[in-house]
């Protein structure tokens, strides 16, 4: 019998995943590729997307995969796709993409098939990009597979530093002193920073500026709306009692993978 690693995944599968990450990582573009990215006010940017998975309470295998598209700069919802899904791949720290990305990629494909005029020009992902142990987190993975500019926005990290006002940030370094991401205080009323990193087809500077411009509250509105709408879809589909929307600064989901491991993907 093959040896099993964390999460019950055989070692040979983890090795296969590592090789796939390494191959796809070579295709990541960490610079601005679109004309709108080079404009100070992001002129030409009309649609921003957000993706998220919300889990059924008490069930780490059933979740709602959500894709939303918002107008920019108004940040009004133009499109949403919510699907209840069953996750058969266990969670392993550093390999979140293999568990969640297939459902998010399918949502993007449905949008392209049915309403191509609403495909977002950039996608916010609830997770990390190059700020990852192997430099290839879920935002990179989804960016490569969808060929869209992607920005990774994580909510937790062990490293902390004082950020005084909305828009303040500081760099997050790798062992080689390479800047892998930025800690961003997204809003004056938010005391906890976000951790922004490049996913694909965007520079870190642009990713941080755009994240800040999309934050009405702590969490960028595309991801926040995906989270809210996925939870509401679960409630309606399963006939659960209505719950009040959480206060904005508490709108983070509680993910079954835990606080520390949440920073790895």
């Amino acid at each position: 019998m093959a040896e099993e690693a964390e999460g019950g995944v055989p070692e040979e599968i983890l090795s296969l995943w590592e090789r796939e990450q390494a191959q796809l990582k070579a295709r990541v573009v960490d610079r601005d590729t679109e004309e709108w990215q080079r404009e100070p006010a992001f002129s030409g940017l009309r649609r921003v997307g957000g993706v998220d998975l919300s889990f059924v309470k008490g069930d780490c295998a059933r979740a709602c995969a959500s894709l939303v598209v918002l107008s920019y700069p108004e940040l009004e919802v133009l499109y949403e796709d919510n699907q209840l899904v069953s996750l058969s791949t266990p969670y392993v720290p550093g390999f979140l993409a293999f568990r969640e990305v297939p459902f998010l990629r399918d949502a993007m494909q449905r949008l392209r098939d049915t309403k191509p005029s609403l495909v977002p020009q950039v996608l916010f992902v609830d997770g990390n990009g190059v700020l990852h142990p192997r430099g290839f987190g879920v935002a990179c993975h989804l960016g490569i597979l969808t060929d869209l500019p992607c920005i990774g926005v994580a909510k937790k990290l062990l490293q902390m530093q004082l950020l005084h006002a909305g828009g303040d940030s500081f760099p997050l370094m790798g062992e080689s002193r390479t800047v892998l991401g930025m800690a961003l205080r997204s809003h004056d009323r938010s005391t906890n920073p976000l951790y922004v990193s490049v996913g694909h087809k965007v520079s870190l500077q642009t990713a941080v500026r755009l994240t800040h411009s999309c934050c009405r509250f702590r969490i960028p509105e595309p991801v926040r709306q995906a989270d809210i709408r996925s939870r509401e879809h679960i409630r309606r589909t399963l006939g659960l009692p209505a719950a009040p929307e959480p206060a904005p600064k508490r709108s983070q989901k509680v993910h079954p993978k835990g606080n520390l491991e949440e920073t790895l993907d």
Side-chain angles (χ1 to χ4, degrees):
M1 180 180 294
E3 283 189 43
E4 291 192 346
E6 187 172 354
V9 177
E11 290 286 353
E12 61 265 28
I13 297 298
L14 291 184
S15 296
L16 181 66
W17 287 353
E18 284 192 22
R19 289 196 298 272
E20 183 173 340
Q21 284 180 331
Q23 291 168 357
L24 293 176
K25 178 183 175 182
R27 295 164 52 186
V28 169
V29 177
D30 61 358
R31 65 182 184 279
D32 293 330
T33 61
E34 314 301 311
E35 192 62 35
W36 61 262
Q37 296 168 331
R38 301 180 179 92
E39 297 290 335
F42 298 121
S43 302
L45 179 60
R46 296 290 180 265
R47 299 173 308 282
V48 295
V51 293
D52 194 25
L53 260 78
S54 291
F55 283 78
V56 176
K57 187 175 181 180
D59 189 339
C60 62
R62 281 198 304 168
C64 179
S66 179
L67 162 68
V68 298
V69 181
L70 281 63
S71 61
Y72 186 87
E74 301 84 3
L75 300 178
E76 301 297 330
V77 175
L78 303 174
Y79 171 90
E80 65 178 288
D81 178 299
N82 301 292
Q83 296 280 330
L84 279 179
V85 298
S86 296
L87 290 81
S88 57
T89 303
Y91 172 70
V92 180
F95 296 99
L96 176 67
F98 294 94
R99 176 170 164 85
E100 297 189 358
V101 159
F103 304 107
L104 304 176
R105 179 187 56 192
D106 288 349
M108 183 58 63
Q109 189 59 51
R110 285 192 295 272
L111 173 56
R112 282 178 161 144
D113 291 342
T114 59
K115 296 187 177 180
S117 64
L118 292 180
V119 170
Q121 294 161 275
V122 61
L123 198 57
F124 285 89
V125 181
D126 182 16
N128 286 312
V130 299
L131 186 60
H132 178 272
R134 287 174 296 282
F136 192 77
V138 62
C140 298
H141 209 128
L142 187 60
I144 293 295
L145 295 185
T146 61
D147 196 33
L148 285 173
C150 276
I151 298 171
V153 182
K155 295 187 286 289
K156 294 185 185 297
L157 194 71
L158 293 181
Q159 181 178 351
M160 296 293 293
Q161 183 167 318
L162 187 61
L163 299 171
H164 296 281
D168 284 358
S169 62
F170 70 87
L172 304 169
M173 303 284 190
E175 291 183 0
S176 64
R177 306 303 294 170
T178 301
V179 177
L180 301 178
M182 296 287 286
L184 168 70
R185 182 171 179 178
S186 58
H187 199 281
D188 285 341
R189 295 192 298 273
S190 175
T191 57
N192 296 316
L194 297 175
Y195 302 95
V196 181
S197 58
V198 169
H200 186 45
K201 288 187 170 182
V202 65
S203 68
L204 180 58
Q205 180 182 22
T206 296
V208 171
R209 285 201 304 119
L210 184 57
T211 299
H212 183 226
S213 74
C214 286
C215 287
R216 289 175 170 169
F217 305 103
R218 181 194 175 209
I219 307 301
E221 199 64 13
V223 171
R224 181 173 174 269
Q225 287 297 328
D227 177 73
I228 289 171
R229 290 162 190 268
S230 60
R231 292 179 183 280
E232 176 60 17
H233 184 78
I234 289 173
R235 186 193 69 78
R236 290 197 314 267
T237 303
L238 301 183
L240 302 176
E245 181 181 334
K249 70 177 182 179
R250 298 181 181 274
S251 61
Q252 309 169 48
K253 66 181 180 181
V254 178
H255 200 287
K257 50 185 176 276
N259 292 352
L260 173 59
E261 296 164 353
E262 192 172 27
T263 69
L264 299 177
D265 302 293

